[in-house]
């Protein structure tokens, strides 16, 4: 079997304690690497004034890590700038928060070139290279220019926006041209894939074929939808075992007879936290029977705290939570418990199991692993109910959730009310359909599907184009 080389901006060293701020990519790739091993290349997370030296290479378990530092200028332009202030908001449909600046793009190209030049000497002839996410779209192009001939695949963890939004990116042509240097490009959903195909056909004048083959910019590649999964069996086991732990018992005891609604998200404007808290407020207003009966636990570890849009969102969230608690709390009941700390996976799985309702209501999300973890953690005999945004990638798979439009506050409050009062029989029916799906489509299956498609010789093995409902 060829060696797997994973390239991602952030690298999570296996077994390091999780804080929650590292995000879904690290969680998923870590699960995949644990199974297969290989080389994991990326940014060390360190920033220095000087130019970066050679990568720091070390082994840990089945994985060899190769980590590169960034200079202060690279960090500002590539990471904080183009990745987090241009691509992230734009790909999440937030043109209002998107900042375009040429130095950002120049820094983005420069760091991709730097990473390619540091990775090249570490490569072996039959390696299979798998590049992750929006920070590194130009990697394959840079590697190819430097003479790399190995197979290279790319997976986008965030949404690929619709054509009108994407065309607002000043460098859209260069970005897609660079993307076409990969052998395989994977998206989270059929909708993302369709948006990409629309660009190829309508803007780039390229061709898209039924077997996922794409011809554009003088290159031929394949593209497909590969919805990312979780380690379903592990999460289910963690949740079952968590019931004996001190934190599980403390949370349960603190609730008494009250029902718990739980949300767990990185503190990010794409997650729709402000609208979610407003919906909790609406629930208490429209359905007063829930006062003193329901507690919402929102866990939201801080991320990207030095990007101004995040500071602004945090202040607004603080104010909504303060208002709801100030209006409705009593001396022995607080409607919203809002925490910014991280927890271990085991503890979180236990908390999910206690949650009568799981709130996953992003304004836009590539997939959203929390939705899947919530389902996996439920007690089969008495499962909770998932309230899920139709704009999360997970909505294409978890069709038995209560689907909401996260911009519709009253609609979300109604959905919470329905979820809180859903009869056991219906809860079981919905849950077992989703759990069954997640068992079949776990993170190992995702990794296999992507790598099989990347290494497949024959054309027929990559994802087929299928008609999908318009979101
Ligand atoms: P994220 O935007 O980070 O991921 P998500 O998919 O929900 O979002 O993953 C977050 C992960 O962090 C989950 O595994 C969750 O359990 C964990 N986590 C969150 N808060 C935590 C806490 N307080 N303590 C410990 N762990 C915590 C990006 C994309 C998503 C896509 C993933 C994977 O934005 O759309 O699903 O990558 O592709």
């Amino acid at each position: 079997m060829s060696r797997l080389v994973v390239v991602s901006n952030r690298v999570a060293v296996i077994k390091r304690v999780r804080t929650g701020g590292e995000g879904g990519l690290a969680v998923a790739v870590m699960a995949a690497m644990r199974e297969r091993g290989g080389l994991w290349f990326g940014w060390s997370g360190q920033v220095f004034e000087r130019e970066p030296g050679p990568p720091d290479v070390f082994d840990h378990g089945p994985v060899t890590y190769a980590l590169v530092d960034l200079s202060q200028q690279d960090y500002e332009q590539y990471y904080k700038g183009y990745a987090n202030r241009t691509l992230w908001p734009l790909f999440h449909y937030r043109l209002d928060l998107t900042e375009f600046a040429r130095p950002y793009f120049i820094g983005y190209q420069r760091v991709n070139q730097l990473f390619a030049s540091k990775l090249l000497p570490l490569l072996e002839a039959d390696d299979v290279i798998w590049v992750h996410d929006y920070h590194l779209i130009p990697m394959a192009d840079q590697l190819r220019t430097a003479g790399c001939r190995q197979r290279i695949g790319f997976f986008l963890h965030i949404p690929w926006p619709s054509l009108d939004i994407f065309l607002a990116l000043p460098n859209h042509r260069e970005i897609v041209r660079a993307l076409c240097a990969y052998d395989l490009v994977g998206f989270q959903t059929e909708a993302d894939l369709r948006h990409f195909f629309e660009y190829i056909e309508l803007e780039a004048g390229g061709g898209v074929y039924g077997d996922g083959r794409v011809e554009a910019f003088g290159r031929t590649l394949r593209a497909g939808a590969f919805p990312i999964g979780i380690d379903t069996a592990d999460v289910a086991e963690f949740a079952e075992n968590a019931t004996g732990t001190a934190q599980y018992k403390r949370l349960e005891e603190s609730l008494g007879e009250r029902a718990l609604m739980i949300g767990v998200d990185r503190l990010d404007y794409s997650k729709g936290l402000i609208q979610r808290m407003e919906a909790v407020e609406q629930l208490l207003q429209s359905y007063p029977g829930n006062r003193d009966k329901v507690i919402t636990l929102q866990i939201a570890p801080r991320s990207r705290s030095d990007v101004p849009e995040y500071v602004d969102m945090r202040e607004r969230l603080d104010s909504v939570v303060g208002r709801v608690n100030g209006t409705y709390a009593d001396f022995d009941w607080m409607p919203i418990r809002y925490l910014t700390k991280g927890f271990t996976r085991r503890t979180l799985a236990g908390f999910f199991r206690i949650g009568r309702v799981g709130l996953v209501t992003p304004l836009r999300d590539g997939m959203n692993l929390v939705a899947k973890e919530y389902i996996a953690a439920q007690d089969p005999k008495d499962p909770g109910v998932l309230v899920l945004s139709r704009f999360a990638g997970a909505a294409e798979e978890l069709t038995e959730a209560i689907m909401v439009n996260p911009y519709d506050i009253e609609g979300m409050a109604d959905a919470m009310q329905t979820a809180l009062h859903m009869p056991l029989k219906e809860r079981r029916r919905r849950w077992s359909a989703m759990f069954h799906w997640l068992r079949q489509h776990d993170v190992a299956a995702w990794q296999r599907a992507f790598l099989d498609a990347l290494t497949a010789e024959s054309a027929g093995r990559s994802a087929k184009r299928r008609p999908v409902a318009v979101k």
Side-chain angles (χ1 to χ4, degrees), residues 18 23-24 157 188 264 266 271 343 365-369 373:
R18 285 179 53 195
H157 289 255
Q188 296 274 28
V264 175
R266 265 187 320 100
K271 303 292 183 186
F343 290 93
D365 219 326
M367 176 54 63
N368 197 298
L369 299 180
E373 290 164 357

Side-chain angles (χ1 to χ4, degrees), residues 18-28 88 92 133 155-159 188 228 230 264-266 268 270-271 299-301 304 339-345 348 352 364-371 373 393 446:
R18 285 179 53 195
T19 62
E22 64 267 71
L25 181 152
V27 172
W88 176 272
H92 287 87
D133 230 2
F155 184 76
L156 184 70
H157 289 255
I158 65 174
Q188 296 274 28
I228 198 166
I230 57 162
V264 175
D265 309 74
R266 265 187 320 100
D268 192 290
S270 65
K271 303 292 183 186
I299 301 175
R304 304 175 196 169
L339 350 173
T340 56
K341 60 193 270 194
F343 290 93
T344 65
R345 309 193 67 207
L348 269 190
F352 285 141
R364 240 354 118 162
D365 219 326
M367 176 54 63
N368 197 298
L369 299 180
V370 171
E373 290 164 357
W446 167 73

Side-chain angles (χ1 to χ4, degrees), residues 245-266:
T245 63
Q247 275 169 313
Y248 183 98
K249 285 185 183 147
R250 271 175 61 198
L251 176 59
E252 214 177 27
E253 277 162 22
S254 75
L255 296 170
E257 293 298 305
R258 295 174 179 122
L260 181 72
M261 299 204 292
I262 184 164
V264 175
D265 309 74
R266 265 187 320 100

